[in-house]
């Protein structure tokens, strides 16, 4: 049975039953859920909303920091009219690992917290009645989980997460749960590639179905006029006088895909497609054969109370703030985001650097900070990385490219964040990951990874594999902060001189200074809003000095939650906006700069 992972949409032949809302929920403190058969139904529970992280609802620390299994349960009524169709349950994500039971029967298990998965439930479903869905979720981290981390035991017997990354290990059902009913013969996958010829565009496509009947495609423009048609599972459609998807000037065609037996409609699915090309030549990134300069943010899926749970209102606010500040791009640091974010980016014309959850690939006994200080514990020297993590990482690459391949907004794949690329042992791992991404992507979009400060040019063993070099640099914060800022600029300039010799485009994927909103001081001190501005002015001078720098994405869009510790004041405060999405002073500085930099800056 082909995996039906297309985004769940209603159509004349498809039905969706959304299961979001209040679910029963239980922590499994004593690990008795399996022996007591909680899969058949929870006995002691509270109600909890889905989608959301479970961590920030409760008022005690044990709940917030809980590590282990949690159980969710809900009921769904399946009407008789759906018998005779294929019925799947689809999770937008469940973080990190999940086992799903329907009416007491295990129907699927899934590893990884940031991508959708589904399971076929025809064999266990009861029509015209309520069906019990129970999900067991585990949020433990290890060297072979993505992201990486470890779990320790405390003297009271409780477990605790030690992430090798700088964001809170939120967990739960973070994205929507749907029952998806499709016809027995159905469309299971759709892939597009774009070629521009003068004023026209050719869209090459492949449709995968579960049967033999003919496939038909009709393309509609934004006014609802049919502008092109095609027939066949693999073909090309020519759109005369095509309107292209451009940065902050998006145009989306509607592709209606049908399976028909003569006049009988068997299945129908639709997608909005932006037509554009992406290419790297020399030190430039071209979209539709025009050089572009990226301005924007590294982000997180993070907000008060919801944790990492999807909320469309929060998403809307984020896009409005990004547009207001003159941004044209963001990175889905440090994992693939909810599908609705890419749909919105398609619609708004934002360029997305789409990142995998491969973060924390340092063996660090404390946290990411020991890594950024150069503690030499070598992740890729450990056979676990090659034997366990890599095959799983490759599966993640398959799933995320498959999920996100058709989005016009997705212009760059970021395959890792700050891995330990100071060792030769990283090279074979990287070669395989980079090659797989290239092979899977029909559009052959540029590949990158976000390089950590200690893996400078000449030290990094893997940067030659990148189509674009992405640098996370904190000159003026983690090194040479405060009154030493003048030396920060010197060190940064020297390093950039080395990178510029590689003759590849460079995007600054992180730079930033923790800033406590409302803290002012003249003259400035670190953590004040005044310092954040001085720090940024220095960074901008460096970016403007190097021709190869073709993008700047500040860390971070907004303040976000992390594990507590001496380096963080209730979270990371490098946000340009506060966690509740209000501007710090630096937001106005960025707005002025980004509104004045043209899209073809440096061309
Ligand atoms: C980094 C990491 C990011 C951290 C950031 C920081 O290099 O990629 O996850 O949050 O530094 O603020 O230290």
């Amino acid at each position: 049975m082909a995996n039906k992972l297309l985004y769940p949409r209603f159509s004349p032949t498809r039905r969706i039953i959304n299961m979001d809302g209040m679910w029963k929920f239980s922590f499994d403190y004593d690990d008795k859920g399996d022996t007591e058969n909680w899969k058949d139904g929870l006995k002691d529970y509270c109600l909890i909303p889905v989608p959301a992280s479970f961590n920030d609802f409760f008022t005690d620390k044990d709940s917030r920091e809980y590590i282990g299994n949690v159980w969710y349960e809900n009921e769904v009524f399946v009407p008789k009219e759906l018998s005779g169709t294929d019925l799947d349950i689809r999770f937008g994500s469940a973080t990190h690992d999940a086992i799903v039971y329907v009416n007491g029967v295990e129907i699927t298990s899934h590893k990884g917290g940031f991508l959708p998965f589904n399971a076929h439930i025809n064999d266990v479903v009861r029509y015209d009645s309520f069906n019990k869905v129970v999900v067991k979720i585990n949020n433990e981290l290890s060297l072979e989980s993505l992201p990486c981390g470890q779990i320790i035991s405390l003297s009271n017997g409780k477990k605790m997460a030690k992430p090798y990354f700088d964001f809170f290990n939120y967990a739960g059902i973070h994205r929507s749960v749907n029952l998806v009913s499709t016809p027995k013969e159905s469309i299971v996958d759709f892939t597009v590639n774009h070629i521009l010829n003068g004023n026209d565009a050719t869209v090459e496509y492949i449709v995968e179905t579960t049967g033999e009947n003919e496939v038909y495609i009709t393309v509609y423009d934004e006014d609802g006029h049919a502008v092109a048609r095609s027939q066949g599972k693999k073909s090309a459609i020519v759109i005369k006088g095509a309107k292209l998807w451009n940065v902050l000037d998006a145009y989306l065609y509607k592709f209606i895909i049908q399976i028909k037996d003569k006049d009988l409609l068997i299945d129908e699915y639709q997608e909005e497609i932006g037509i554009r090309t992406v290419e790297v030549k020399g030190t430039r990134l071209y979209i539709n054969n025009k050089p572009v300069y990226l301005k924007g943010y590294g982000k997180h899926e993070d907000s008060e109370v919801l944790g990492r749970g999807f909320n469309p209102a929060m998403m809307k606010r984020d896009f409005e703030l990004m547009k207001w500040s003159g941004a044209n791009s963001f990175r889905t640091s440090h994992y693939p985001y909810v599908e609705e974010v890419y749909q919105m980016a398609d619609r708004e014309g934002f360029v997305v650097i789409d990142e995998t959850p491969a973060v924390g690939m340092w063996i660090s006994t404390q946290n990411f900070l020991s890594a950024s200080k150069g503690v030499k514990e070598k992740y890729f020297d450990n056979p676990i990385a090659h034997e366990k993590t890599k095959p799983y990482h490759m599966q993640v690459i398959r799933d995320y490219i498959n999920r996100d391949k058709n989005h016009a907004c997705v212009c760059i794949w970021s395959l890792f964040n700050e891995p330990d690329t100071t060792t030769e042992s990283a090279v074979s791992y990287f070669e395989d990951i980079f090659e797989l991404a290239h092979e899977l992507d029909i559009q052959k979009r540029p590949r990158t990874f976000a390089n950590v400060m200690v893996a400078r040019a000449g030290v990094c063993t893997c940067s030659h594999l990148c189509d674009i070099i992405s640098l996370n640099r904190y000159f003026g914060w983690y090194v040479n902060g405060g009154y030493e800022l003048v030396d920060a600029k010197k060190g940064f300039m020297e390093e950039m001189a080395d990178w510029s010799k590689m003759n590849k485009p460079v995007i600054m994927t992180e730079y930033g200074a923790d800033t406590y909103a409302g803290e002012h001081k003249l003259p400035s001190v670190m953590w004040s809003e005044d310092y954040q501005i001085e720090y940024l002015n220095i960074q901008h001078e460096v970016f403007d000095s190097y021709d190869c720098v073709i993008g700047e994405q500040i860390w971070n869009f907004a303040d976000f939650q992390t594990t507590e510790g001496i380096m963080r004041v209730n979270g990371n405060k490098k946000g340009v906006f506060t966690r509740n999405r209000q501007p710090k002073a630096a937001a106005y500085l960025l707005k002025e700069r980004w509104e004045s930099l043209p899209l073809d800056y440096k061309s």
Side-chain angles (χ1 to χ4, degrees):
M1 174 59 58
N3 209 6
K4 299 186 175 183
L5 276 176
L6 289 176
Y7 185 77
R9 290 184 211 286
F10 234 86
S11 86
T13 58
R14 294 173 168 239
R15 299 288 175 268
I16 309 292
I17 302 177
N18 180 261
M19 292 185 63
D20 296 352
M22 298 306 282
W23 288 52
K24 292 178 183 171
F25 175 84
S26 222
F27 292 105
D28 195 353
Y29 274 108
D30 305 316
D31 250 337
K32 56 187 186 194
D34 287 322
T35 45
E36 291 186 356
N37 280 324
W38 291 6
K39 68 182 175 58
D40 297 325
L42 303 182
K43 282 156 203 85
D44 292 319
Y45 57 83
C46 66
L47 295 179
I48 199 172
V50 166
S53 302
F54 66 72
N55 308 81
D56 283 352
F57 296 126
F58 303 101
T59 52
D60 63 300
K61 270 202 170 189
D62 286 347
S63 301
R64 185 181 72 203
E65 305 290 327
Y66 179 85
I67 290 292
N69 295 326
V70 294
W71 295 72
Y72 284 78
E73 178 190 330
N74 203 354
E75 284 196 325
V76 58
F77 187 84
V78 179
K80 196 145 95 223
E81 73 204 44
L82 298 187
S83 65
T85 73
D86 267 352
L87 211 52
D88 285 53
I89 188 164
R90 184 191 199 273
F91 290 80
S93 74
T95 313
H96 295 286
D97 300 337
I99 301 180
V100 182
Y101 305 87
V102 173
N103 297 329
V105 181
E106 179 179 330
I107 52 151
T108 195
S109 60
H110 182 260
K111 179 173 158 75
F114 305 94
L115 287 165
F117 61 95
N118 71 342
H120 199 52
I121 60 170
N122 284 66
D123 297 342
V124 291
V125 85
R126 295 185 200 116
Y127 293 97
D128 247 351
S129 67
F130 283 96
N131 290 262
K132 190 169 286 180
V133 176
V134 174
V135 190
K136 175 176 142 182
I137 291 185
N138 183 280
N139 64 350
E140 294 182 23
L141 303 168
S142 71
L143 284 185
E144 51 191 280
S145 63
L146 295 179
C148 302
Q150 72 182 87
I151 301 301
I152 61 162
S153 290
L154 303 177
S155 57
N156 62 4
K158 301 247 163 66
K159 294 187 217 168
M160 184 184 172
K162 291 278 180 187
Y164 294 169
F165 49 89
D166 183 38
F167 47 93
F168 194 84
N169 183 38
Y170 280 119
I173 303 181
H174 286 153
R175 300 176 189 164
S176 288
V177 184
N178 289 291
L179 285 198
V180 182
S181 152
T182 50
K184 290 281 180 199
E185 182 173 351
S186 65
I187 299 151
V188 285
D189 200 13
F190 173 55
T191 311
V192 290
N193 184 34
H194 311 291
I195 298 162
L196 309 182
N197 342 292
N199 289 334
D200 306 335
T202 303
V203 182
E204 299 174 332
Y205 70 85
I206 305 166
V207 179
E208 205 186 306
T209 74
T210 55
E212 295 309 319
N213 278 299
E214 189 61 306
V215 166
Y216 299 84
I217 297 194
T218 312
V219 181
Y220 293 87
D221 65 14
E222 287 188 354
D223 298 322
H225 300 125
V227 292
R229 290 178 205 279
S230 182
Q231 196 173 331
K233 288 188 180 179
K234 186 170 182 209
S235 189
I237 306 178
V238 176
I239 299 176
K240 296 266 173 213
K243 296 199 175 77
L244 302 184
W245 183 94
N246 282 305
V247 181
L248 295 187
D249 182 19
Y251 192 91
L252 298 177
Y253 288 94
K254 192 174 283 174
F255 279 55
I256 305 237
I257 310 155
Q258 295 176 317
I259 305 177
K260 287 205 270 188
D261 181 5
K262 303 202 178 64
D263 283 343
L264 179 72
L265 179 66
I266 295 172
D267 191 20
E268 179 171 316
Y269 186 78
Q270 69 176 56
E271 265 200 58
E272 287 191 314
I273 300 288
I275 298 175
R276 57 101 190 88
T277 57
V278 183
E279 198 185 357
V280 165
K281 274 190 280 181
T283 56
R284 295 289 176 265
L285 171 69
Y286 293 85
I287 295 183
N288 302 330
N289 301 319
K290 286 181 259 168
V292 295
Y293 190 85
L294 303 184
K295 306 167 267 185
Y297 302 94
K299 288 188 91 256
H300 263 299
E301 292 187 312
D302 173 278
S303 61
E304 292 278 355
V305 185
L306 281 152
R308 219 169 297 304
F310 174 57
N311 177 305
M314 215 65 205
M315 174 178 75
K316 174 69 180 163
R317 174 72 178 170
D318 284 7
F319 271 91
E320 289 306 312
L321 291 177
M322 287 196 288
K323 286 192 288 181
W324 170 85
S325 68
N328 62 14
S329 66
F330 60 93
R331 176 171 60 126
T332 69
S333 36
H334 296 307
Y335 35 79
Y337 288 3
V338 67
E339 289 150 295
E340 285 80 352
V341 165
Y342 302 80
Q343 292 164 7
M344 186 95 162
D346 281 345
R347 173 56 59 201
E348 297 284 2
F350 270 75
V351 172
V352 172
I353 303 180
D354 199 4
E355 189 155 275
T356 74
V359 49
M361 290 178 147
W362 289 85
I363 301 176
S364 154
T365 46
Q366 292 171 34
N367 55 31
F368 72 101
L369 273 172
S370 1
S372 59
K373 282 183 186 148
V375 174
K376 291 277 193 292
E377 292 164 302
K378 303 176 191 312
Y379 181 86
F380 295 100
D381 283 354
N382 189 331
I384 288 183
H386 301 266
E387 289 159 19
K388 303 269 189 174
T389 322
K390 190 170 82 178
Y392 166 50
H393 194 167
M394 291 177 103
Q395 188 53 47
V396 167
I397 300 272
R398 282 186 197 97
D399 290 350
Y400 108 122
I401 291 187
N402 190 43
R403 188 193 72 160
D404 298 339
K405 62 192 171 189
N406 290 339
H407 286 289
C409 66
V410 174
C411 294
I412 301 169
W413 305 111
S414 170
L415 306 174
F416 304 75
N417 181 68
E418 298 196 340
D420 181 350
T421 51
T422 60
T423 65
E424 280 302 323
S425 56
V427 179
S428 62
Y429 187 121
F430 273 63
E431 281 171 351
D432 291 350
I433 294 287
F434 270 72
E435 196 182 308
L436 180 68
H438 189 68
E439 180 191 313
L440 293 172
D441 182 19
I442 173 179
Q443 296 183 12
K444 307 298 176 208
R445 274 161 276 211
R447 299 150 301 164
T448 191
F449 71 90
N451 163 295
V452 68
M453 215 153 160
V454 294
R456 310 172 53 109
V459 173
C460 181
T461 53
C462 298
S463 46
H464 63 285
L465 296 168
C466 292
D467 303 306
I468 296 174
I469 305 280
S470 297
L471 300 179
N472 294 356
R473 290 297 179 273
Y474 289 93
F475 289 95
W477 187 254
Y478 292 122
V479 291
N480 301 130
Y483 192 42
E484 290 177 51
L485 200 53
V486 52
D487 289 348
K489 182 175 174 191
K490 190 167 164 284
F492 201 177
M493 291 288 280
E494 282 165 11
E495 193 190 347
M496 290 311 297
D498 291 339
W499 286 111
S500 63
K501 289 182 197 133
M502 286 196 76
N503 196 32
K504 292 189 184 221
V506 174
I507 298 175
M508 303 309 309
T509 35
E510 286 184 28
Y511 54 96
D514 279 275
T515 304
Y516 204 77
E519 194 67 42
H520 283 282
K521 188 121 174 154
L522 185 66
S524 76
V525 287
M526 292 171 80
W527 292 88
S528 66
E529 296 206 24
D530 316 75
Y531 185 75
Q532 194 179 27
I533 287 179
E534 286 166 22
Y535 167 91
L536 285 178
N537 281 325
I538 293 286
Q539 309 300 307
H540 297 155
E541 282 171 28
V542 177
F543 306 163
D544 292 343
S545 306
Y546 285 93
D547 180 67
C548 60
V549 174
I550 54 103
E552 48 188 80
Q553 294 189 332
I554 189 172
W555 192 254
N556 186 285
F557 169 72
D559 293 347
F560 61 91
Q561 195 65 56
T562 64
T563 304
E564 58 191 324
I566 51 168
M567 297 296 294
R568 296 288 176 257
V569 186
N570 184 18
N572 187 308
K573 294 283 185 279
K574 294 193 186 69
V576 171
F577 298 92
T578 59
R579 202 177 184 210
N580 62 1
R581 274 54 174 183
Q582 297 304 333
K584 297 180 191 171
Y588 298 92
L589 173 89
L590 288 172
K591 179 174 168 60
E592 203 183 324
R593 172 173 168 84
W594 288 347
E595 284 181 346
S596 74
L597 293 183
L599 181 61
D600 65 354
Y601 179 47
K602 303 254 178 100
S603 67

